[in-house]
Amino acid sequence: MFRATKIAALNVALAAMLVATPGLAQDYPNKPVKLLVAFAPGGPADSIARIIGQKLNDRWKQTVVVENRGGAGGNIAAMQGAKADPDGYTILVTTSAFAVNQTLTKNPGYTPGDFKAAAVVATTPNLIIGAPDLKANNLKEAIEAARTQKMTYGTAGAGTTPHLSAERIFKLEGKVDIPHAPFTGAGPATQAVIGSHIPLASVALSAAVQNVQAGQVKGLAVTSKDRVKALPNVPTARELGLGEADDTTWVVFFVPARTPDAVIQKINADVNAILKDKDTEDQLEKIGFMAVGGSAKEAESYVQQETSRWGDIIRRIGLEAK
């Protein structure tokens, strides 16, 4: 009798959970949502969070707060996001550093299994920039100068794809060792180049496209297959004979792994709807991004493929995990 009562109670609880999940999606969000950005203001993750966050705010009629937690190549925010309540009210906004750090960092503080990808939002090529007083006018000239001059280059942090793009180009293609100076985000790295505190930086194009257009920094090369419309005078690394890779930085929205599927689907559907909006497309294109979108399942598959691809590149370059 006691056993039957326990089984009956368990069945009631399970039924309640099944009923509650669709209800949770229907009610979501009914309070403020936090976009936990893994890098400092001014970089690609921050730019995307603010554009999409405002649109979600309008769509959901709920406050969407952007919180920047830069540091450790995105790992600090990822660790915090992994520990968040799995209810959809904390969304980690990070870049391809999420995939890179699984190989580059010995103990990043989280695993891919701690998260589910809710949406691949956008991608942008990587861009290598030079200080205004740098004599070199393109990346090939900068590499030649680095053979006789002491240089460093900045990035948004170790483990970002601009970091790996630069390492691959400098070490494998240019056969030169230029020391890396990690910052907490692409914004601070770009500002350091503007002020000539460092001669070079490798950042997502979106972080410095307007600075190149304004003449505040030199655009030395983009890592895309073709030149980008926003910077038609900046050559590709391919044109300069520096490899055939087509490297991009992507921005993905992640939620804790135990977040209900119905909530993930809600986030995914609303982000996709926003990405199809002409105003969103125009805002993204203005800063050098291309909207992606797609299902949550496709987002999961994409992140897995990128994790494998960048892992192979890290091993080829020979970067040591820290």
Side-chain angles (χ1 to χ4, degrees):
M1 181 70 177
F2 179 68
R3 179 183 176 85
T5 301
K6 286 183 67 178
I7 292 174
L10 180 60
N11 287 336
V12 169
L14 289 171
M17 288 176 63
L18 291 173
V19 171
T21 299
L24 182 60
Q26 291 171 5
D27 294 340
Y28 176 87
N30 57 22
K31 63 180 182 179
V33 176
K34 178 168 66 180
L35 299 184
L36 181 61
V37 179
F39 296 93
D46 179 70
S47 298
I48 291 295
R50 294 182 189 280
I51 291 172
I52 305 301
Q54 182 57 56
K55 300 285 186 178
L56 288 173
N57 186 97
D58 298 340
R59 192 177 187 87
W60 288 342
K61 309 302 180 186
Q62 290 290 343
T63 302
V64 177
V65 180
V66 175
E67 179 181 313
N68 297 86
R69 288 298 303 273
N75 285 343
I76 290 177
M79 285 188 283
Q80 182 179 335
K83 297 173 183 177
D85 291 336
D87 54 11
Y89 288 94
T90 297
I91 300 172
L92 174 67
V93 183
T94 189
T95 69
S96 25
F98 180 92
V100 170
N101 282 329
Q102 301 308 309
T103 302
L104 183 66
T105 308
K106 186 174 294 184
N107 181 20
Y110 63 95
T111 69
D114 292 331
F115 294 92
K116 284 185 179 178
V120 180
V121 184
T123 63
T124 184
N126 296 325
L127 169 68
I128 298 180
I129 58 175
D133 59 357
L134 185 71
K135 292 183 179 180
N137 292 310
N138 62 52
L139 186 56
K140 191 170 184 179
E141 291 179 2
I143 287 175
E144 289 305 312
R147 300 189 195 285
T148 57
Q149 302 173 28
K150 184 178 180 180
M151 287 192 183
T152 59
Y153 76 95
T155 70
T160 58
T161 52
H163 170 216
L164 294 191
S165 287
E167 287 290 304
R168 177 184 58 75
I169 290 171
F170 294 153
K171 291 183 177 178
L172 297 184
E173 306 297 341
K175 309 299 182 185
V176 65
D177 186 11
I178 302 177
H180 176 220
F183 287 76
T184 58
T190 300
Q191 288 300 315
V193 176
I194 291 173
S196 295
H197 303 300
I198 54 174
L200 304 169
S202 181
V203 296
L205 182 139
S206 61
V209 59
Q210 294 176 337
N211 304 110
V212 175
Q213 291 170 339
Q216 295 175 315
V217 295
K218 292 183 176 183
L220 302 180
V222 290
T223 63
S224 50
K225 182 179 178 181
D226 301 306
R227 293 195 183 197
V228 298
K229 291 181 181 178
L231 299 174
N233 295 322
V234 177
T236 67
R238 289 186 179 202
E239 287 179 61
L240 299 172
L242 297 170
E244 297 295 317
D246 184 5
D247 296 341
T248 61
T249 291
W250 45 257
V251 176
V252 170
F253 282 13
F254 289 94
V255 292
R258 292 185 293 110
T259 302
D261 286 342
V263 172
I264 295 174
Q265 295 305 323
K266 169 70 173 172
I267 296 170
N268 177 268
D270 288 341
V271 169
N272 273 285
I274 289 168
L275 291 176
K276 293 176 182 177
D277 180 73
K278 182 64 167 59
D279 181 64
T280 305
E281 289 180 1
D282 291 344
Q283 288 189 60
L284 293 178
E285 185 175 321
K286 185 177 180 180
I287 59 172
F289 270 106
M290 180 180 71
V292 180
S295 69
K297 184 177 180 181
E298 289 170 334
E300 277 287 309
S301 177
Y302 178 76
V303 171
Q304 290 173 8
Q305 291 171 10
E306 284 288 281
T307 301
S308 176
R309 184 174 80 89
W310 285 109
D312 290 341
I313 292 173
I314 290 167
R315 285 184 285 270
R316 186 178 167 217
I317 294 173
L319 289 180
E320 294 183 2
K322 296 180 180 179

